[in-house]
Amino acid sequence: MATLFQPPAILSNSNIYEVNIRQYTAEGTFNAFAKHLPRLKEMGVEIIWLMPIHPIGTVKRKGVLGSYYSIKDHEAINPEFGTATEFTALVTAAHALEIKIILDWVANHAAWDHVWTRADPLFFTRDAAGNFTPPFDWDDVIQFDHSNAAQQVAMKKAMKFWINTFDVDGFRADLAHLTPLQFWKDARTELTPLKKDLIWLAETEEISYHEAFDISYTWEWMHATEKFIRKEISLQDCVNVLAKYKNAFPENASRLFFTSNHDENSWNGTEYEKYGLYAKAMAVFSCTYPGIPLVYSGQELPNRKRLQFFEKDKIDWEKEIALQEFYRKLLSLHKTSNAYRSGSVSISENFIEKNIFAYTLAGEADVVAVILNLGETTVKETIVMEKLIGPFCDLFSGETAELKGQYEFSGEAGDYVVLEKYLPTE
């Protein structure tokens, strides 16, 4: 498959932090969230994805506050979050810290009372009686008519508005595959001249959508690992998914790895519900396997509750942010190691049957080795991997050792080790 666009250089070793403005603070505003920017910078966050910040429809609204994805106006700001001036200040503050801001973009559907339903009703699909129709059973939104060329022009105009007015750095496309690929290709072609290195993240695993997007989701991996934890499939089955990713996707396709996001947290459970005592080990994987790690609002606490989707349900930042340093170390490694720019991954097949997942990522000089005990018992194993030669440092303990092709791993169920090759000082 041909890739039409050059991915931004930052994506080779960057990360994304998803922000739920409504639930992030008691105030639920841009100004309140902005106070967290220095902390997120210190944690190593480079790209912030803001869930939709548009006004929410009132017709057929679910709950008190409604769904962020039931958008009433694609060129306006939800007044609950703040003003245009306050949003500008948030973007400016993020940029001052060299943090990029991308917007959640919903191109497939809109609120029943979207401004276009009055101005341009032909932008939406209709039933035989001429009534607007929802996609699937999502009865709080209505379906855009993607065959309407004027609708697609208006949608691209709205995307340009956020770049020209607020200097945003890209888009996360909600359910990208429900909108025709050609729209996204045209949008990227038209928007790229407005700002260099826009970031394009697609919520999809449709391989062809990499013709328009840099980053896609890894739903299949996440669902496979959930099944593995429930003992429904083997670790080898999970590794086979990674092999599929490697062989089927374009070489420069970036994949987004995560243990949680807004949908997972609210509807399917927190990472602790899904993975139990393996939650941190799976987070280590998401941050150390080739790809782009995603951290959702509050995972650094960690947040152990499902956030309500249609109501106010704030994250409790008054507690100790216990995993701030955990993520800082992982994101820093992902950023600084050259292994993530041009390295190749090698998975140790010898220990998969024992539910030990061990792999190395090696560039010309840099090597990162990861060992995860995904079994149910404490293990002591000699992990043999050809790249484990030279001086290595344990990312979390700080201990160093000269390795000769193997590592003596000892760990309880859910334990993990991350080793980084380093250049010893004289």
Side-chain angles (χ1 to χ4, degrees), residues 164-182:
N164 290 329
T165 307
F166 298 105
D167 197 26
V168 301
D169 302 295
F171 300 92
R172 177 265 185 188
D174 181 65
L175 294 166
H177 53 280
L178 297 184
T179 299
L181 174 58
Q182 190 60 51

Side-chain angles (χ1 to χ4, degrees), residues 36-47:
H36 286 260
L37 286 175
R39 178 183 65 77
L40 294 176
K41 174 65 176 180
E42 193 277 335
M43 196 171 87
V45 170
E46 293 201 319
I47 302 168

Side-chain angles (χ1 to χ4, degrees), residues 66-111:
S67 169
Y68 319 83
Y69 296 86
S70 178
I71 292 172
K72 190 174 182 178
D73 187 344
H74 278 73
E75 292 187 33
I77 287 173
N78 186 341
E80 298 170 25
F81 297 163
T83 65
T85 299
E86 289 165 343
F87 181 61
T88 297
L90 173 62
V91 175
T92 300
H95 286 172
L97 294 171
E98 299 184 326
I99 296 174
K100 296 183 180 296
I101 299 287
I102 65 174
L103 293 186
D104 217 322
W105 197 259
V106 187
N108 182 65
H109 46 270

Side-chain angles (χ1 to χ4, degrees), residues 337-406:
S337 176
N338 286 324
Y340 288 96
R341 293 184 177 88
S342 58
S344 59
V345 67
S346 176
I347 297 173
S348 176
E349 300 286 343
N350 298 331
F351 300 94
I352 290 176
E353 288 189 3
K354 297 181 179 180
N355 289 332
I356 297 175
F357 190 20
Y359 53 91
T360 56
L361 184 64
E364 291 185 5
D366 291 12
V367 177
V368 172
V370 180
I371 306 168
L372 311 175
N373 180 9
L374 301 181
E376 297 180 283
T377 61
T378 299
V379 297
K380 292 184 179 181
E381 293 283 351
T382 300
I383 307 295
V384 178
M385 292 189 285
E386 64 175 346
K387 297 297 182 180
L388 288 178
I389 297 177
F392 279 79
C393 179
D394 185 306
L395 181 69
F396 293 104
S397 73
E399 295 179 358
T400 60
E402 184 77 22
L403 301 182
K404 299 180 180 180
Q406 62 187 46

